[in-house]
Amino acid sequence: MRLLETRYAPLMTSLWMIGLPLVLAFFAGAGAGTALDTIAGYAGAIFDIFGGASLILGAALLVWTVWSAWRAGEMSSQNEVNG
């Protein structure tokens, strides 16, 4: 798939920008009221500071990367030469 070959860095950046805040939100919610309450509080604070902006910018970067790859014709396998 040419999309991963040509646009690896923006794809991985956008997936990390979306995935990491979701993991922080999960740990903040799952650890609240347990023995890990202090760590959950830190995860919640980090998510409160960076989470929303990271999710929005990560989604925008993902949409832009897929859109530009689609416009360049990198999404179809018809351009690849086998053999």
Side-chain angles (χ1 to χ4, degrees):
M1 177 185 255
R2 289 207 31 126
L3 178 65
L4 289 176
E5 294 171 1
T6 58
R7 305 194 191 282
Y8 183 78
L11 278 174
M12 289 301 118
T13 302
S14 65
L15 292 177
W16 274 100
M17 287 177 74
I18 294 169
L20 189 61
L22 293 178
V23 169
L24 287 172
F26 172 77
F27 284 136
T34 65
L36 302 174
D37 194 35
T38 305
I39 297 172
Y42 289 134
I46 293 171
F47 177 77
D48 289 342
I49 295 169
F50 300 110
S54 180
L55 287 172
I56 292 169
L57 292 175
L61 179 61
L62 183 63
V63 168
W64 176 80
T65 304
V66 172
W67 174 260
S68 63
W70 179 72
R71 297 266 302 163
E74 297 173 4
M75 297 286 288
S76 66
S77 61
Q78 295 175 349
N79 296 338
E80 298 177 9
V81 177
N82 296 326

